[in-house]
Amino acid sequence: MDNVGIVVDDLKAAVAFFAELGMELEGEAELEGSTPDRMLGLDGVRSAIAMMRTPDGHGKLELTTFHAPEAVAAQPAVPPPHTLGLHRVMFAVDDIDDTITRLRPHGAELLGEVARYGNAYRLCNLRGPAGIIVALAEEIG
């Protein structure tokens, strides 16, 4: 797998959110013309992307905002976590409580609560940029 793509309405805020999780900005670009039009099956695509990578370089997120055509909101706008096709991205963290605290100023909201999975992990799901679900896992065992 090369990367996971996420469409966001505020690229700068999404970059800040994932940077707070420890991801690094690899690069940014403006895209338009026949290549993105053909790839996406849309006409007149103008978008900006930011490629974020995990510190180990093995994982990447491509954050995209569309200038044209206007992005379409999911229905409902904030779908519940059991919606078919809903995407979730999980990150391993050293301290789940500290990570939640650092992400709250970036708009993160817990979906439920931090739960313990046996003696192995503490886990939670947050609502992140553009309503996506960001899961956190802290290894404890």
Side-chain angles (χ1 to χ4, degrees), residues 79-102:
H82 64 296
T83 302
L84 291 173
L86 183 64
H87 300 278
R88 184 233 343 120
V89 180
M90 180 175 267
F91 293 89
V93 297
D94 293 328
D95 182 335
I96 203 166
D97 298 312
D98 175 64
T99 304
I100 293 167
T101 299
R102 290 185 295 109

Side-chain angles (χ1 to χ4, degrees), residues 43-67:
D43 292 323
V45 172
R46 286 188 311 104
S47 64
I49 66 167
M51 188 63 75
M52 305 288 295
R53 74 170 175 268
T54 56
D56 64 8
H58 295 296
K60 293 182 185 181
L61 288 178
E62 180 182 301
L63 304 172
T64 304
T65 190
F66 281 85
H67 305 301

